[in-house]
Amino acid sequence: MIRFLLKGIVRDRHRSFFPVLIVTLGVAVTTVMHAFMDGMADEMVRNMARLDSGHVKVVTRGYGEIVSQIPNDLAIRSADSVMAALEARYPGMEWTPRIKFGGLLDFPDSTGETRAQGPAAGFAADLLGEGSGEIARLNLAQSLVRGRLPSSPNEILVSDEFASRLGVEIGGTATLIGSTAYGSMAVHNFRLAGTIRFGIAPLDRNMLIADIADVRYALDMEDMTAEILGFFPTTVYDDGAAELLADDFNGERPSGGPAGLRMLTLRGQGGIGQMLDMARSRSAIIIAVFIVIMSIVLWNTGLMSGIRRYGELGVRLALGESHRHVYGTLIAESILIGIGGTAAGAAIGLAVSYFLQEVGWDISGMMRGSSVMMSNVIRARVTPATWMIGLIPGMAATILGAVFSGSGIFRRETSRLFKELEV
Amino acid sequence: MWSFLIATVLLPLPLAVSTWAQESRPPDASRPSGRAVLERIDENLVLDSATGVSEMIIHGRSGTRSIRSRFWKQGADSSFVEYLSPPREAGKKMLKLGDMLWTYAPEPADRIITISGHLLRQSVMGSDLSYEDLLENSRLIEVYDAEVTGEEPVGGRPCWVVRMTSRVDDAAYHSRTVWVDKERWLPLREERYARSGRLLKKTTIEEAQRIGERWYISRATFRDMLSSGEGTEYIVESIEFGAEIPGHIFSKAALRQ
Amino acid sequence: MLVPKLAWRNIVGAGLRTWLNVIVLSLAFVMIIWAQGFVRGMFEYTRHTMIQYEIAGGQFWHPGYDPYDPLTIDEAHGIVPAALQSLAGEGEATAVLVAPGAIYPDGRAQNVLLKGIDPAQTVVEIPTGTLAGGGDGYIPALIGERMARQTGLGEGDWVVVRWRDAGGTFDAADMRIEAVMSTTLASIDQSQVWLPLEQLRGMLRTPGEATFVILGRETPPPAAGGGWIHRDLDYLLSDITAMIRSKYVGMAFFYGLLLFMALIAIFDTQVLAVWRRRKEMGTLMALGMVRSRIIALFTLEGALHGLLAFLAGAIYGIPLLWWTARAGFPLPEIAGEMGFALPERLYPSYGALLVLGTAVLVMIAVTVVSYLPAAKISRLRPTDALRGKMT
């Protein structure tokens, strides 16, 4: 029986090709959409993690309390041994130091006198360290506007707007006049390697990015770091794992005063958790609406493929097939179409989603200048739900369509159905 | 008194030096005028040259550190400091000529920075005072009206209590109270007040020493009274009065040498 | 009139099929409007809040004022130009004096901006009335929630504030936190303390001076003089305008998908209709209807889906959108920490332009999609069509 139905479906292009095509398309789009929404939420987390919060972050208690004041005198001491201890205790994680700082960036003329200067918001990361993933993590290569990335010590990047406003040239000297962790005046010469764009107005005004080794030297923070960011090997943030890690770490350090170390999870920092929840519920709404729309479209398709065949059904009824049997074959057919379409759609959708997850879709060509804040690569995330999500519109809606359109068989007179058989 | 502070904490220059002790006059039975006390203190400041080594101990949130420096000083307006340790600060220099101030950061920065505008607000070496304080008019008598309001011993030594109130608009502190050793004419304690009357800063002298006929302050502590920090200690390790100081020391060119 | 009438009858006659198409299309339509309304609501809220609390009808800046350069703030004040002064006197503007200072909660210095504003002002909705009680004895202060969190200060707490007057003399006094205001705007909150203007002028010894002047919402900018720079709303809002614009772009992908799905449904319907109704076309041709009119008929049938979707969308969409616009959506309170103001509840905002624009876009798309299968008709021979054949 199924073979018979299959033959029918395959041989009649209108019965097979279009419905299957549409189910396939619908399921594929739903699947990709789902993976894409998850990917967007991940992207938000990833941005936050890579720029500021890490998956987990280690700071001193004192620093954590007044973090908005950038209290570098409360930075982590013996940073190398803390890092080593973290690496030993939590193998597989990647740990990287960061320092934020403020200061005056002063551009001298040929005689060494100040030519232009302005306040800068500094950001130090391990740009030059061997095996450091910071340049990639901060998306610096894509954000470069002019010049090049720092490749040797004492080279910095500043926001393009900042450099333009001060009228400074790539390759020129830039002296940071800041304050050491001990409050002394810090004077350090950098060379302007390039300019970048963040895509966030306040940062684009006066950001300065330097290698952490230089900044440690400049700010008298040898073997110190303000923050140590920890990243799981997966790009996706796992809150449960981060909680476990933080509990384990903090559990060993009950208090320790202002210099005591604390590990914060991404969710635990500055209300990021609530933001994630909001993003998640928003994407759930969008997915739900999308599935509803998709389902109606496919239902409609099922309906039409039924209507299309009223004539044929009339003949079959006239030949003595029972209403029930005709209806049954119609639904069986729609199940076959649903299975075929859903399988094909899920396959295509998952393939695209996996591609977007693993490779990503580089949209930098479409963006008018990219920036640190925005990754140029759109990524999806495939979860177990991604595998299943297409089933709802693919199977349920298609069959429902057939159930509704087929019900016409019972309502109409055989003769009327027969009349629709065009010869 | 400002210069006294500069002497003790900021540009570690021992300006508060007294030779009056040698005259060994008995302490005045009658109270001197405030003006007379200020004049005497100011006169101390224009003593001839001095050079030496001093140490500053700074108590910060993150611990304590000590900074040593060599200083040269000529009259009230010219001074030059070269930092010796810790290695981090060694080679940094600072020059004050009248109301101008420069610092020099050695190689690799190799830059002379004119301390002006916002930079004046920065703390000197992490102590509780700012560069701006160094540019204060060092002659108290030009800035403050003074009145001796009483006497009170400090550390066992009898002192005049002198209350000073600024009569210019740009004084950093609206008023001050100084405890001046009746015999040696050294200020032994000082408090500085805001216009509102709130105590902002407090200096106490822990030790004074005598070289030849001069008294000088060899150990003092300075505290910012608004914050809960432990303040900054200042110690003179060695000092030589009347040394020959080549004139070129007090020039911008000397910063780079 | 024949074609529209026929088209109407045909599509209504198609029953469930039509209504499913209409529902899909109307859902897409309503969703697009809703989502855009959401973003627009965000923008309007931020804009509205900034106008309400911070910029009102625009500002006049002292020539030296640059809010992004903390190093020059203490120089950026001067006598308020007479024109602005008189507006302030009439309640049409209010002057703000800004000065750097430090407060010492728990004996730890924190740098802040002291902002003086007239407690009686009504130009912006900062609750400056809470500052009215200040006397000679102390300085009344108003801070925002972020600042309260940052410093651990609460209503009724005392804290030492230190500043320097215009001559550079240090001064310090006790300040009492009169109120902690709830605000979503970091720009009037973070690291800032609001004081009564005259008291701050007294503290700084800068009588009659200000850093900037906020104009009333309805006040036309006067010629200020004195080099004071007029900053209009476009200038003051440019950051958030740019940010919202990038949001719109991000959502375009989502709109595209929604619309695409709906259009597939219409396309499918049209293909089927053209295929099933060959005889009808043949009959119409035989009766003398020219091909172009038949194409018009079929295209119109498809396009009517758009119109019906518009109406159907209106039936459930208007109450729905109206309700969401009134009830709003709860947002986590920290959303505002990310740089621009966001409220606890977000109220979507739907403009006429937004609705009409979306409608026009959907109609055009639907018409195009309806036309494509119908265009096949032009190659149809009436004789074949009559016999139910498609060539």
Side-chain angles (χ1 to χ4, degrees), chain C residues 55-112:
Chain C
I55 57 182
Q59 298 180 341
F60 272 93
W61 288 5
H62 180 271
Y65 180 52
D66 177 357
Y68 300 107
D69 186 354
L71 309 188
T72 58
I73 285 265
D74 52 348
E75 303 294 330
H77 54 83
I79 297 286
V80 178
L84 295 172
Q85 190 62 59
S86 68
L87 281 178
E90 296 156 19
E92 299 271 307
T94 194
V96 176
L97 179 60
V98 185
I103 59 171
Y104 290 78
D106 295 330
R108 278 209 287 234
Q110 288 201 16
N111 292 324
V112 297

Side-chain angles (χ1 to χ4, degrees), chain B residues 61 118 121 130 132-133 136 166 168-174 193-198 200-201 224 226-229, chain C residues 70-71 74-75 100 104 106-109 160-174 202-203 205:
Chain B
R61 267 196 298 212
H118 168 78
R121 298 272 155 89
S130 61
E132 178 166 49
D133 298 339
E136 199 79 13
S166 79
V168 296
D169 270 344
D170 56 355
Y173 298 93
H174 178 255
Y193 296 89
R195 192 181 304 278
S196 61
R198 179 177 283 272
L200 296 175
K201 289 179 176 170
D224 178 345
L226 294 182
S227 69
S228 53
Chain C
L71 309 188
D74 52 348
E75 303 294 330
Y104 290 78
D106 295 330
R108 278 209 287 234
V160 178
V161 57
R162 195 206 64 199
W163 69 95
R164 316 191 65 162
D165 68 20
T169 304
F170 279 112
D171 210 343
D174 286 315
M203 286 158 63
R205 296 152 71 80

Side-chain angles (χ1 to χ4, degrees), chain A residues 189-204:
Chain A
N189 278 357
F190 290 106
R191 199 163 44 257
L192 185 57
T195 66
I196 48 168
R197 220 180 70 84
F198 287 86
I200 282 205
L203 296 184
D204 278 329

Side-chain angles (χ1 to χ4, degrees), chain C residues 287-307:
Chain C
L287 289 174
M289 196 182 252
V290 293
R291 281 195 183 86
S292 62
R293 293 198 73 191
I294 297 175
I295 293 175
L297 173 70
F298 276 78
T299 306
L300 189 62
E301 279 181 28
L304 274 175
H305 284 106
L307 194 67

Side-chain angles (χ1 to χ4, degrees), chain B residues 1-17:
Chain B
M1 210 34 38
W2 210 197
S3 310
F4 150 68
L5 236 225
I6 292 171
T8 53
V9 184
L10 298 176
L11 272 185
L13 302 179
L15 301 176
V17 174

Side-chain angles (χ1 to χ4, degrees), chain A residues 73 106 175 185 189 217-218, chain B residues 61-62 65 88 92 109 111:
Chain A
D73 54 337
D106 181 293
T175 307
M185 182 180 287
N189 278 357
Y217 178 79
Chain B
R61 267 196 298 212
S62 52
R65 65 183 205 139
R88 164 79 204 180
K92 283 188 179 174
R111 282 207 58 184

Side-chain angles (χ1 to χ4, degrees), chain A residues 68-86:
Chain A
S68 59
Q69 305 258 317
I70 321 183
N72 278 336
D73 54 337
L74 297 171
I76 299 167
R77 270 141 220 280
S78 313
D80 289 346
S81 70
V82 174
M83 295 263 295
L86 285 167

